[in-house]
Amino acid sequence: MKCVRCLTDNASKVAEAPDGSKAWEVYVCSRCNFVWRSTEEPEVIDPEKRDPWFQLADVDVDDILVFSPVPPLRK
Amino acid sequence: MEESGLRGFLKKLEKAGQLVRYTDEVMPEPDIRLIGRAAVDIAAGNTGPAVLLDNIKGYKGKQLALNVSGTWANNAVMLGMDKDTPLKDQFFEFARRWAGGSDGELKWVKNPPCQEVKITKDINLYELLPLFRVNKYDAGFYFSKPAVITRDPEEPGSVDKQNVGLYRIQVQGPDTLGIQVLPFHDGGIHLRKAEEMGVALPVVICLGVHPVVSLMASAPLQYDKSEYKYAAAFMETPMNVAKALTADLDIPADAEVVLEGEFVPRERFVEGPFGEFPGSYSGSRRQFRIKINTVTTRKNPIFENLYVGRPWTEHDTLIGLNTSATLYFQLRETMPEVKAVNAIYQHGLTIIVATDNRFGCYAKTVAMRLASTPHGTSYAKNIILVDGDVDPFNLVQVMWAISTRVRPQKDVIVIPNTPGMPLDPCSEPPGVGAKMIIDATTPAPPEVSREVRMVENLPDAEPYQKILMDLQKAAR
């Protein structure tokens, strides 16, 4: 399934409303870790309506900045 | 026996008229965000209530608490004071309790309430907890008020070096969390050591704890000071802790929800953005990941979260006085002329210090001292100095001092190219900034100033306030 943020085919359903109401489902993208609920506003879950500033399409996730670099192993 | 933990505190809030129950059905998004925003917006962060919701669509029956520490009225209740107590008086009571330092006592209890329910299989946090997107463009559903507990892997037996920190956490999978721990955080020191050793650092995340535990988790305490001991001293009662089930970590015995797991060592994963406390979104970063293997809860647990975004929010109230008190005591170690510190604005990006001038231009050295404290080094961007008899928490008084004391050519100083706070949206590059000092104190000899007499304070007028307010009440 397509991720609404990075637009790759790495998203899948991970949860349903626990009260059995079938009110919504939750999806996670395993590439960019975006998470959304099926009932959210279009500006959040519709790629056409999302603010392009927050999109991660065409971004190599391995190039994203690291705040805490992995330190060298002790010898 | 009086109930402790978050539940006990919610009862106190209810008694003080500071808790409301929201029973109408709401959507997780955007309704919860809007209710959290509204609760803190009432009277600009002063009198709004905590909110308990139990009718969230899809999560029916699950309980969520918002705005628990969100307003000064709730803060006053935490301090055992009348909810109308002025902020300056809250600051001094806060500082009195804070001075108890790390002398508090811990009591280890067996079979704690936080382990009444135990889940080790098919953990799905999206279904267990009423999660919601805090701000519209956040990367997902966040824990914005967790207590994250780790130990120093080199000294795993040290309770004092055990850390309780408040770090933002994104739920990135049913049993997977992304977490921002920065290198200068105490938890960051634990993580660096564990990664150098090539081991997975055990971690416990507690959700729904007494507000004093959140207060200490978010305070800039020294590395070898125990947040729990500080909390016990602050509450003036021993703090009940228990052992986690899967690691030698101490947890608040009455926490509502406890997530146990391990950091994934030596790997980073995309996390963010998240609407942060300066009122701006952080970028996406590659950060640490946690895998959860055990969840324990109280029966019918209350999940607690906070709204953070454009200030004023619960985050500001939560960290306002602990930042102020930390700086107050650090300054007074060598500068007893300092009377009070107001560092409630964006974690101390702007700070107002009330101080007497020991001699001419002394106040400016107070500012320099402030700018070189551990916290002030990166924060403390705008430093305003007022006389010792000005209430730094009363902005009308502060503006009066600036209006009538500041000689711009002498009293406004900018120090360029200093450390800055990366989350400050005008720190460019992130982490670099400048300091501005505005000295609004009255000049002292040998500095010369114009001969003038200010109108005296009228403390004798204060009792008349009550008389007038009673008359006003009677006139309604």
Side-chain angles (χ1 to χ4, degrees), chain A residues 8-71:
Chain A
T8 66
D9 206 19
N10 287 292
S12 56
K13 186 170 92 173
V14 290
E16 290 178 0
D19 60 6
S21 63
K22 304 224 179 271
W24 41 255
E25 302 94 44
V26 174
Y27 298 87
V28 173
C29 172
S30 62
R31 177 177 174 270
C32 78
N33 297 320
F34 190 73
V35 177
W36 72 97
R37 197 186 319 268
S38 55
T39 47
E40 292 193 72
E41 311 96 296
E43 307 95 271
V44 177
I45 62 171
D46 180 348
E48 300 293 314
K49 296 192 173 141
R50 280 181 57 81
D51 182 338
W53 173 266
F54 292 102
Q55 292 301 79
L56 284 181
D58 307 322
V59 172
D60 185 345
V61 291
D62 292 332
D63 288 342
I64 290 176
L65 190 72
V66 171
F67 268 149
S68 298
V70 178

Side-chain angles (χ1 to χ4, degrees), chain A residues 5 14-19 21 23-24 26 28 31-37 39-41 43-44 50-51 54 56 61-74, chain B residues 27-30 33 57-60 124 126-127 131 133 136-141 154 170-172 180-183 195-196 198 266 268 270 272-273 281 284-286 288-289:
Chain A
R5 178 167 73 161
V14 290
E16 290 178 0
D19 60 6
S21 63
W24 41 255
V26 174
V28 173
R31 177 177 174 270
C32 78
N33 297 320
F34 190 73
V35 177
W36 72 97
R37 197 186 319 268
T39 47
E40 292 193 72
E41 311 96 296
E43 307 95 271
V44 177
R50 280 181 57 81
D51 182 338
F54 292 102
L56 284 181
V61 291
D62 292 332
D63 288 342
I64 290 176
L65 190 72
V66 171
F67 268 149
S68 298
V70 178
L73 278 170
R74 287 182 194 172
Chain B
M27 288 301 290
E29 296 85 16
R33 171 190 317 149
K57 197 166 177 75
Y59 286 124
K60 197 162 174 55
N124 191 334
Y126 299 111
E127 295 179 356
L131 302 177
R133 192 183 306 274
K136 203 185 226 181
Y137 292 112
D138 291 350
F141 312 145
E154 288 179 330
Q170 185 199 353
V171 182
Q172 295 189 334
Q180 171 170 285
V181 188
L182 298 176
E195 290 200 322
E196 284 172 352
R266 305 184 67 76
R268 301 290 182 269
V270 182
Y281 282 99
S284 293
R285 303 283 183 258
R286 281 186 296 145
F288 295 101
R289 170 165 282 188

Side-chain angles (χ1 to χ4, degrees), chain B residues 149-177:
Chain B
I149 299 135
T150 53
R151 284 200 185 229
D152 185 329
E154 288 179 330
E155 294 174 75
S158 171
V159 171
D160 289 335
K161 289 186 178 174
Q162 174 173 252
N163 184 58
V164 185
L166 195 163
Y167 310 120
R168 75 185 201 207
I169 293 176
Q170 185 199 353
V171 182
Q172 295 189 334
D175 60 353
T176 305
L177 309 175

